[in-house]
């Protein structure tokens, strides 16, 4: 996929005399050859740098990044982004992450966060706009789809397969939706239940980079063999019956964000890596 280019240098004019001490470049003006002498020390050479692209394949699809045209800090940041992607790409959102994997992802994220510097969303909240795909969550290593919060377990007792996970953020309406595709196994001969759950929240910015979300409702839309069922809401528990571990609110800090990648750290120490969908 990489493309290379080269500029051919002009041919030197040859004759029977000894070569002069400077190069001779032939130019044509009105079809008459003209010799322009240039000192050897001032000859210019051009190199068109190669631009390489990388496609990282994982259980959540492909993520493509292209190295920047310019060198410097931006190129260093792009390299750190690629390093982080290579660390988390094969961990199935963190569900199969080992202790070593967690440490490697943490180290790679910290390098990128340090290179990007402090995040200030006060006047740049639109950087959050869009639909973001989750690549990695350190909390999923707990084998729970709720991460460090209550959630469906993954394993043999309840065969739950996690599909794509997204965050859809609208900075104008302050809507913040967590969207998860889930497949729940069923006993033979029944087919598995495929559904998309949308956890709707509202969000607000606290300070420069902390986001507070407040839960509103959960909507489920079945797919596959049950796609004809209309979306339905799951009733919300009254506040008096909600366990202390699930207060209906949460917050996290955005520690790195650009046009195609975002890193957040949750109020329970959860590291998450997203790419724009």
């Amino acid at each position: 996929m990489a493309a290379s280019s080269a500029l051919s240098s002009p041919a030197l004019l040859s004759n029977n005399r000894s070569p002069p001490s400077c190069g001779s470049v032939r130019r044509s003006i009105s079809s008459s050859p003209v010799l322009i002498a240039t000192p050897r020390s001032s000859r210019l050479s051009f190199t068109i740098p190669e631009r390489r692209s990388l496609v990282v394949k994982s259980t959540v699809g492909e993520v493509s990044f292209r190295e920047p045209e310019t060198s410097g800090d931006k190129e260093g940041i792009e390299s750190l982004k690629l390093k982080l992607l290579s660390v988390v790409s094969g961990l199935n959102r963190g569900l199969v992450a080992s202790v070593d994997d967690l440490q490697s992802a943490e180290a790679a994220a910290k390098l990128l966060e340090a290179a990007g510097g402090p995040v200030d969303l006060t006047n740049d909240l639109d950087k959050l706009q869009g639909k973001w795909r989750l690549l990695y969550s350190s909390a999923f290593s707990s084998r729970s789809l709720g991460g460090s919060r209550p959630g469906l377990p993954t394993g043999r007792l309840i065969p739950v397969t996690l599909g794509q996970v997204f965050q859809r953020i609208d900075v104008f309406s302050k809507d913040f939706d967590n969207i998860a595709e889930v497949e729940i196994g069923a006993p033979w001969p029944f087919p598995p239940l495929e559904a998309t759950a949308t956890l709707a929240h509202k969000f607000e910015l606290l300070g420069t980079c902390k986001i507070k979300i407040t839960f509103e409702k959960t909507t489920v839309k079945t797919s596959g063999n049950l796609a004809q069922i209309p979306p339905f809401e799951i009733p919300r528990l009254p506040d008096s019956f909600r366990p202390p571990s699930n207060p209906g609110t949460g917050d996290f800090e955005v520690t790195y964000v650009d046009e195609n990648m975002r890193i957040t750290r949750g109020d329970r120490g959860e590291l998450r890596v997203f790419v724009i969908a």
Side-chain angles (χ1 to χ4, degrees), residues 144-181:
S144 168
L145 298 187
S148 56
R149 301 177 183 274
L152 288 174
T154 59
R156 295 182 179 180
L157 295 180
I158 302 180
V160 178
T161 302
L162 181 66
Q164 300 277 15
V165 178
F166 300 96
Q167 280 185 350
R168 184 173 54 207
I169 304 175
D170 189 329
V171 300
F172 302 102
S173 63
K174 298 298 187 294
D175 288 331
F176 189 103
D177 297 336
N178 286 323
I179 305 169
E181 299 172 356

Side-chain angles (χ1 to χ4, degrees), residues 198-245:
T198 300
L199 283 70
H201 302 75
K202 288 292 185 179
F203 83 92
E204 60 179 314
L205 178 65
L206 303 179
T208 59
C209 64
K210 179 177 287 188
I211 302 295
K212 179 183 178 180
I213 59 175
T214 302
F215 175 75
E216 291 194 325
K217 63 181 179 178
T218 298
T219 304
V220 176
K221 177 66 177 75
T222 56
S223 56
N225 295 326
L226 301 177
Q228 70 276 10
I229 299 178
F232 59 92
E233 290 187 18
I234 296 179
R236 178 180 177 180
L237 286 175
D239 293 341
S240 58
F241 291 97
R242 185 176 294 115
S245 60

Side-chain angles (χ1 to χ4, degrees), residues 31-258:
S31 71
S32 299
V34 178
L35 297 183
I36 301 177
T38 58
R40 294 186 184 274
S41 59
S42 65
R43 286 186 186 175
L44 301 179
S45 61
F46 297 89
T47 301
I48 298 180
E50 293 184 349
R51 295 188 64 200
R52 297 175 296 172
S53 60
L54 175 66
V55 177
V56 178
K57 295 184 178 180
S58 71
T59 54
V60 296
E62 296 184 354
V63 181
S64 300
F65 278 91
R66 181 177 291 273
E67 291 185 354
E69 296 181 358
T70 58
S71 59
D73 293 342
K74 181 174 176 59
E75 185 173 2
I77 287 178
E78 292 296 317
S79 297
L80 292 174
K81 288 166 63 176
L82 293 177
K83 181 178 180 180
L84 177 58
L85 285 174
S86 67
V87 170
V88 304
S89 60
L91 301 180
N92 192 11
R93 272 61 54 86
L95 288 169
V96 297
S98 65
V99 174
D100 289 341
D101 294 328
L102 293 173
Q103 293 175 349
S104 297
E106 177 71 19
K110 283 185 175 180
L111 288 175
L112 180 55
E113 290 166 338
V119 174
D120 189 349
L121 299 174
T122 306
N123 298 315
D124 288 320
L125 195 61
D126 58 340
K127 288 184 176 180
L128 302 181
Q129 179 72 25
K131 188 176 182 180
W132 299 83
R133 179 155 55 95
L134 178 69
L135 287 187
Y136 172 79
S137 169
S138 61
F140 279 177
S141 63
S142 65
R143 306 301 187 266
S144 168
L145 298 187
S148 56
R149 301 177 183 274
L152 288 174
T154 59
R156 295 182 179 180
L157 295 180
I158 302 180
V160 178
T161 302
L162 181 66
Q164 300 277 15
V165 178
F166 300 96
Q167 280 185 350
R168 184 173 54 207
I169 304 175
D170 189 329
V171 300
F172 302 102
S173 63
K174 298 298 187 294
D175 288 331
F176 189 103
D177 297 336
N178 286 323
I179 305 169
E181 299 172 356
V182 180
E183 181 182 285
I184 303 176
W188 187 86
F190 301 101
L193 172 63
E194 300 176 7
T196 299
T198 300
L199 283 70
H201 302 75
K202 288 292 185 179
F203 83 92
E204 60 179 314
L205 178 65
L206 303 179
T208 59
C209 64
K210 179 177 287 188
I211 302 295
K212 179 183 178 180
I213 59 175
T214 302
F215 175 75
E216 291 194 325
K217 63 181 179 178
T218 298
T219 304
V220 176
K221 177 66 177 75
T222 56
S223 56
N225 295 326
L226 301 177
Q228 70 276 10
I229 299 178
F232 59 92
E233 290 187 18
I234 296 179
R236 178 180 177 180
L237 286 175
D239 293 341
S240 58
F241 291 97
R242 185 176 294 115
S245 60
N246 186 19
T249 62
D251 58 72
F252 60 86
E253 290 188 357
V254 180
T255 56
Y256 178 84
V257 62
D258 62 18

